[in-house]
C-alpha cells in the first residue's frame, strides 16, 4: 500500500516514509492510496477478539513493510488494556477507550505508533526526534508510548495555561527521553510550530524528525480497530451511530475510514464551542478560527488538522460529506448538565469530552428514532477531577497512576511561541 499527500495525489510514498515524514513535504497529510474493503460477514458471524479484529483490519495497510507476526506483537503490546462497551441507558453505550496507562484514548494511537516507528527504524544509526503538540492528552500518551524506547527522543509542546494540572504533571514528571516544552501561547501556536519545524530544511538535514500528532498516519490507523470492535459487540442493533468528541478530528477520520472499509455505521462529530466544522457543514465554507477555551479542553481546536483528510475521503464533494456526517456544537453549560443528568439518572460518570458526545447523541436522537448510539469515552473522568467534582458535588476516586505522578517534581523548558527560539532549542539541546 502506498500513501499519498492530500495536497498532491501524485506524491506517493511507502508506509515507512509516511510514518517518518509525519507531514508530507508539500504540507499535506498522508492517506492510503486505496481503502481496503473488509468482509463484513466475518464480523456478523464470529465473536472475534480485538486482537483478531486488529489483524483483519490493519494488515492490508501495512503488510508490505510489517509482517503479520510483527503486527501481532505490536497489537498485543499496544492494546494491552481493556476497552469495555458499557450500556448507559436503553439506546446509548459508552465505549471506554481510557483504560490505558495515561487514561486517555490517545494511548491506542500513541502506543501503536511508538512500536511501529521503533520497528521501522531499528536499523538506523541516527536518533529520531518525535515532535508533538498537545492540547492536553496527546503529550502524556505519546510520552508514555515512547518512554525509554531506544533511539527515540520525544519533544512535547504544550500551551501554557491550556492543560489541566494532572495533564501537565503526567507529561513533565517522566524524565529520561521525554522533553516537555511549555509554550507561551495557545494550542494552535504549538501545532503551527510543529508544522513549521517538520518542514524546516536545516533541521531535517541535521536530525531525523517526525511527528506523533494525529496527523501521523501510524496514529490514525489503529484507531480504526475499535469501531469494528464496538460494532461486532452490538451487531444485532439497528442504525448504529458513533458520537465522536472531536478536536483535531483524527478519531472521527479513523471512523470514516472504517465506514469506507464497509462498516454500516453513521457519524456524529461532536464539538464544543470550537465549531468550525459545524459551520462548514452548514455553509460549505471552512474558516479556521482562534481556539476558544472550554471545559473539554482537549477539543479546543480552531483549525482541525484532519479536515483535509475528511474532504479527501469524500472526494471534495460537500453534499456527500454533508449527508454522511452530522455535527453539533455543545456549550459548556450543556456539557455540565449532561454530566449531572447521566450521573443522577444512570449512575454513570462522564468526563467533559464524553459528555459533549453524549449530549450530541441526545440531539441526534430526536430526529433519528430507534438509533443506537455509541459514545466514545475518550478520557477517564478523574483526569478532570476538579471540573467533574464541582458538577456532581461529590468526591471521586482518583486512580493510582494519576495520584502517583501528582506527587513527583515537574520539569519543563519554557519558551515563547517563536519558531526560531524553538528551533534553536532543538538544534542546541538535542
Ligand atoms: C484529543 C482528544 C479528543 C479529540 O480527538 P481528535 O482526534 O483530535 O478529534 C477528544 N477527547 C479527548 C479526551 C482528547 O484527549
Amino acid at each position: 500500500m502506498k500513501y499519498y499527500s492530500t495536497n498532491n495525489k501524485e506524491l506517493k510514498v511507502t508506509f515507512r516514509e509516511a510514518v517518518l515524514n509525519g507531514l508530507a513535504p508539500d504540507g499535506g497529510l498522508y492517506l492510503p492510496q486505496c481503502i481496503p474493503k473488509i468482509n463484513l460477514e466475518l464480523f456478523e458471524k464470529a465473536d472475534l477478539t480485538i486482537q483478531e479484529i486488529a489483524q483483519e483490519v490493519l494488515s492490508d495497510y501495512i503488510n508490505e513493510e510489517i509482517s503479520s507476526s510483527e503486527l501481532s506483537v505490536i497489537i498485543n503490546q499496544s492494546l494491552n488494556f481493556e476497552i469495555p462497551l458499557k450500556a448507559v441507558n436503553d439506546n446509548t453505550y459508552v465505549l471506554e477507550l481510557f483504560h490505558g496507562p495515561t487514561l486517555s484514548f490517545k494511548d491506542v494511537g500513541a502506543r501503536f505508533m511508538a512500536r511501529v516507528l521503533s520497528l521501522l527504524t531499528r536499523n538506523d544509526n541516527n536518533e529520531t526526534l518525535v515532535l508533538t503538540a498537545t492540547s492536553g492528552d496527546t503529550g502524556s500518551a505519546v510520552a508514555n508510548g515512547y518512554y525509554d524506547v531506544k533511539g527515540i527522543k520525544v519533544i512535547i509542546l504544550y500551551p501554557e495555561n491550556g492543560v489541566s494540572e494532572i495533564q501537565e504533571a503526567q507529561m513533565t514528571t517522566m524524565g529520561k527521553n521525554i522533553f516537555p516544552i511549555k509554550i507561551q501561547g495557545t494550542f494552535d501556536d504549538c501545532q503551527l510550530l510543529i508544522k513549521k519545524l517538520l518542514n524546516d530544511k536545516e533541521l531535517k538535514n541535521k536530525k531525523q524528525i517526525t511527528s506523533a500528532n494525529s496527523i501521523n498516519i501510524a496514529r490514525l490507523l489503529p484507531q480504526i480497530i475499535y469501531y469494528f470492535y464496538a460494532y461486532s459487540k452490538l451487531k444485532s442493533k439497528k442504525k448504529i451511530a458513533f458520537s465522536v468528541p472531536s478536536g483535531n478530528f483524527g478519531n472521527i477520520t479513523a471512523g470514516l475510514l472504517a465506514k469506507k472499509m464497509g462498516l454500516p455505521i453513521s457519524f456524529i462529530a461532536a464539538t464544543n464551542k470550537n465549531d468550525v466544522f459545524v459551520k462548514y457543514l452548514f455553509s460549505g465554507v471552512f474558516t479556521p478560527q482562534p481556539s476558544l477555551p472550554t471545559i473539554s479542553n482537549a477539543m479546543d481546536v480552531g483549525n482541525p488538522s484532519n479536515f483535509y483528510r475528511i474532504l479527501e475521503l469524500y472526494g471534495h464533494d460537500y453534499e456527500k460529506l454533508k449527508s454522511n456526517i452530522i455535527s453539533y456544537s455543545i456549550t459548556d453549560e450543556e456539557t455540565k448538565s449532561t454530566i449531572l443528568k447521566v450521573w443522577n439518572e444512570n449512575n454513570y460518570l462522564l468526563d467533559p469530552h464524553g459528555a459533549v458526545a453524549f449530549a450530541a447523541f441526545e440531539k441526534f436522537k430526536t430526529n433519528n428514532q430507534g438509533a443506537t448510539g455509541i459514545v466514545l469515552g475518550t478520557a477517564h473522568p478523574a483526569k478532570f477531577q476538579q471540573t467533574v467534582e464541582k458538577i456532581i458535588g461529590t468526591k471521586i476516586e482518583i486512580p493510582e497512576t494519576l495520584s502517583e505522578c501528582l506527587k513527583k517534581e515537574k520539569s519543563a523548558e519554557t519558551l515563547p511561541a517563536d519558531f526560531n527560539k524553538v528551533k534553536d532549542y532543538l538544534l542546541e539541546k538535542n
Side-chain angles (χ1 to χ4, degrees):
M1 175 82 71
K2 294 281 183 290
Y3 290 77
Y4 72 93
S5 161
T6 50
N7 282 350
N8 179 2
K9 272 217 149 77
E10 303 308 312
L11 199 80
K12 288 176 208 141
V13 299
T14 60
F15 178 61
R16 180 192 145 93
E17 284 171 281
V19 174
L20 287 177
N21 288 349
L23 199 65
D26 63 1
L29 303 171
Y30 288 114
L31 272 176
Q33 200 181 2
C34 65
I35 314 279
K37 289 272 181 285
I38 47 97
N39 177 1
L40 200 58
E41 266 181 34
L42 206 70
F43 296 87
E44 307 280 1
K45 281 196 198 125
D47 267 325
L48 303 177
T49 64
I50 195 161
Q51 282 78 15
E52 288 166 334
I53 290 178
Q55 196 82 33
E56 244 354 280
V57 165
L58 292 187
S59 68
D60 283 347
Y61 285 106
I62 56 176
N63 58 12
E64 281 163 32
E65 281 135 298
I66 296 179
S67 71
S68 79
S69 59
E70 285 166 338
L71 176 61
S72 155
V73 172
I74 291 174
I75 288 166
N76 287 329
Q77 291 176 349
S78 354
L79 293 174
N80 61 345
F81 48 89
E82 52 166 355
I83 301 185
L85 181 68
K86 296 212 174 134
V88 175
N89 61 35
D90 283 350
N91 47 27
T92 318
Y93 294 77
V94 174
L95 184 66
E96 293 188 348
L97 298 164
F98 50 73
H99 295 283
T102 73
L103 308 184
S104 156
F105 86 103
K106 294 199 167 78
D107 283 328
V108 174
R111 294 174 71 71
F112 183 88
M113 184 187 158
R115 282 154 187 84
V116 163
L117 189 67
S118 168
L119 183 80
L120 294 175
T121 58
R122 63 187 181 268
N123 299 323
D124 297 3
N125 296 322
N126 285 346
E127 193 171 57
T128 304
L129 281 189
V130 176
L131 306 183
T132 185
T134 183
S135 57
D137 284 344
T138 302
S140 51
V142 167
N144 209 285
Y146 286 98
Y147 184 66
D148 219 6
V149 172
K150 239 178 76 192
I152 289 176
K153 252 187 195 171
V154 179
I155 312 288
I156 306 169
L157 270 49
Y158 69 96
E160 182 179 51
N161 307 323
V163 302
S164 78
E165 190 193 343
I166 288 178
Q167 288 171 329
E168 186 172 28
Q170 279 185 305
M171 58 195 161
T172 57
T173 57
M174 299 190 75
K176 289 222 174 165
N177 60 332
I178 311 298
F179 297 86
I181 306 177
K182 188 192 291 201
I183 294 292
Q184 295 164 318
T186 63
F187 171 66
D188 291 332
D189 292 327
C190 296
Q191 190 148 269
L192 197 64
L193 284 168
I194 296 282
K195 277 196 180 177
K196 284 191 185 163
L197 292 166
L198 287 171
N199 274 326
D200 187 76
K201 288 220 168 66
E202 189 188 357
L203 204 57
K204 281 206 292 204
N205 284 337
K206 294 188 174 157
K207 309 271 178 190
Q208 172 142 302
I209 52 174
T210 186
S211 152
N213 272 41
S214 55
I215 54 177
N216 198 300
I217 194 72
R219 274 195 50 195
L220 212 55
L221 294 179
Q223 296 184 356
I224 300 173
I225 301 166
Y226 47 72
Y227 289 95
F228 281 92
Y229 177 67
Y231 174 83
S232 78
K233 294 260 169 205
L234 291 185
K235 56 197 169 216
S236 58
K237 303 273 181 195
K238 294 271 163 344
K239 295 199 280 186
I240 294 176
F242 279 89
S243 186
V244 187
S246 297
N248 257 325
F249 282 68
N251 208 0
I252 198 167
T253 301
L256 295 170
L257 283 167
K259 186 177 165 81
K260 269 214 146 177
M261 292 173 76
L263 211 55
I265 50 179
S266 53
F267 281 96
I268 303 161
T271 67
N272 57 28
K273 188 163 61 169
N274 294 280
D275 61 352
V276 293
F277 192 74
V278 180
K279 290 197 173 123
Y280 167 76
L281 287 186
F282 186 74
S283 66
V285 183
F286 182 65
T287 316
Q289 272 162 11
S291 57
L292 305 167
T294 72
I295 59 167
S296 45
N297 69 328
M299 291 152 62
D300 295 349
V301 182
N303 186 8
S305 54
N306 283 288
F307 177 73
Y308 292 99
R309 278 199 173 114
I310 296 178
L311 273 192
E312 200 50 46
L313 289 179
Y314 284 95
H316 296 259
D317 182 339
Y318 166 67
E319 292 302 329
K320 195 164 160 205
L321 201 160
K322 198 173 152 171
S323 64
N324 269 262
I325 311 175
I326 289 176
S327 188
Y328 299 101
S329 163
I330 305 296
T331 64
D332 275 358
E333 287 317 310
E334 289 172 299
T335 307
K336 288 180 193 170
S337 62
T338 302
I339 292 175
L340 186 61
K341 179 172 150 266
V342 173
W343 172 251
N344 285 336
E345 289 177 9
N346 309 105
N347 197 22
Y348 185 86
L349 185 60
L350 290 161
D351 93 290
H353 305 78
V356 167
F358 199 99
F361 179 66
E362 299 268 284
K363 289 190 196 260
F364 175 84
K365 229 167 42 177
T366 57
N367 296 325
N368 295 273
Q369 302 287 329
T372 300
I374 300 179
V375 170
L376 296 194
T378 46
H380 194 294
K383 291 194 90 168
F384 305 91
Q385 181 193 9
Q386 285 162 345
T387 309
V388 171
E389 286 181 347
K390 221 157 108 194
I391 295 167
I392 62 170
T394 314
K395 284 257 165 241
I396 62 171
E397 212 177 306
I398 302 297
E400 208 179 296
T401 44
L402 287 188
S403 49
E404 280 302 305
C405 79
L406 279 170
K407 289 187 211 143
K408 292 189 199 151
E409 192 171 336
K410 292 189 235 167
S411 150
E413 186 77 27
T414 301
L415 292 175
D418 177 316
F419 172 71
N420 288 314
K421 294 252 161 61
V422 179
K423 179 178 158 185
D424 288 347
Y425 168 83
L426 293 186
L427 286 172
E428 282 162 24
K429 295 273 173 66
N430 292 287

